[in-house]
Amino acid sequence: MSVADRILGIILLLLALVCLVEGIRVWDGMGGTGFMPVIMGVVFGTLSLGFLVSRSQNRESPPIPWPTKGNWQKIGFISLSLVLYTLLVPWIGYLIGTTLFLIGLVRAMGRVRWGYGLIFGLVATGFTYIIFKIWLNMPFPVGFLGV
């Protein structure tokens, strides 16, 4: 096991404990305020145990090259779009904001046609809306259009 795996496992374990403690502290039933932190605590705890228990071979990993100028531009665009998404989603709403964000994200990450980006954005937004809004009854920003 490499030192990096141990460090990541410990960080994930600490994050899992924080999520679990806070989720249990504010727990008000299934689908309530503490539900998501508890789920994230379980996920992070499982991942941390995987990193701490795994017996990986001590092989040298190949060096990771520094990003090119084009990749830095992608990183900048993605970072800027995350900031804009966070700032604008309360005003334009979850459905419209997330769909537009995902279309831009898919286009920025790879050479994908607009049609495929639109389909991905609509399907992914629809799935998250069904899971979190309808099934788990979590509130989403509705925006100025009320959707």
Side-chain angles (χ1 to χ4, degrees):
M1 176 186 315
S2 71
V3 174
D5 287 344
R6 286 184 191 159
I7 292 171
L8 182 59
I10 291 169
I11 291 171
L12 285 174
L13 185 60
L14 292 173
L15 188 59
L17 291 173
V18 168
C19 288
L20 285 171
V21 167
E22 286 301 308
I24 291 169
R25 186 180 66 82
V26 298
W27 184 265
D28 60 350
M30 194 70 143
T33 308
F35 180 71
M36 198 63 180
V38 169
I39 294 298
M40 293 310 298
V42 170
V43 169
F44 287 147
T46 304
L47 289 173
S48 71
L49 291 177
F51 277 105
L52 292 172
V53 174
S54 72
R55 297 182 185 266
S56 62
Q57 298 176 2
N58 287 333
R59 287 188 259 163
E60 288 292 322
S61 60
I64 300 172
W66 196 254
T68 63
K69 182 181 178 183
N71 287 341
W72 277 115
Q73 290 173 342
K74 285 182 184 180
I75 292 168
F77 175 77
I78 291 169
S79 299
L80 178 65
S81 58
L82 278 169
V83 170
L84 288 175
Y85 174 75
T86 304
L87 295 174
L88 294 177
V89 81
W91 287 287
I92 60 176
Y94 175 80
L95 292 176
I96 295 170
T98 304
T99 302
L100 292 175
F101 170 71
L102 289 175
I103 292 170
L105 187 66
V106 168
R107 293 277 301 160
M109 290 178 62
R111 299 195 175 265
V112 178
R113 292 187 218 160
W114 283 105
Y116 292 130
L118 179 64
I119 291 169
F120 176 78
L122 290 171
V123 169
T125 303
F127 274 130
T128 57
Y129 185 83
I130 289 169
I131 291 170
F132 292 105
K133 177 68 177 166
I134 296 173
W135 183 45
L136 296 175
N137 199 24
M138 298 179 98
F140 280 156
V142 292
F144 65 92
L145 295 177
V147 289

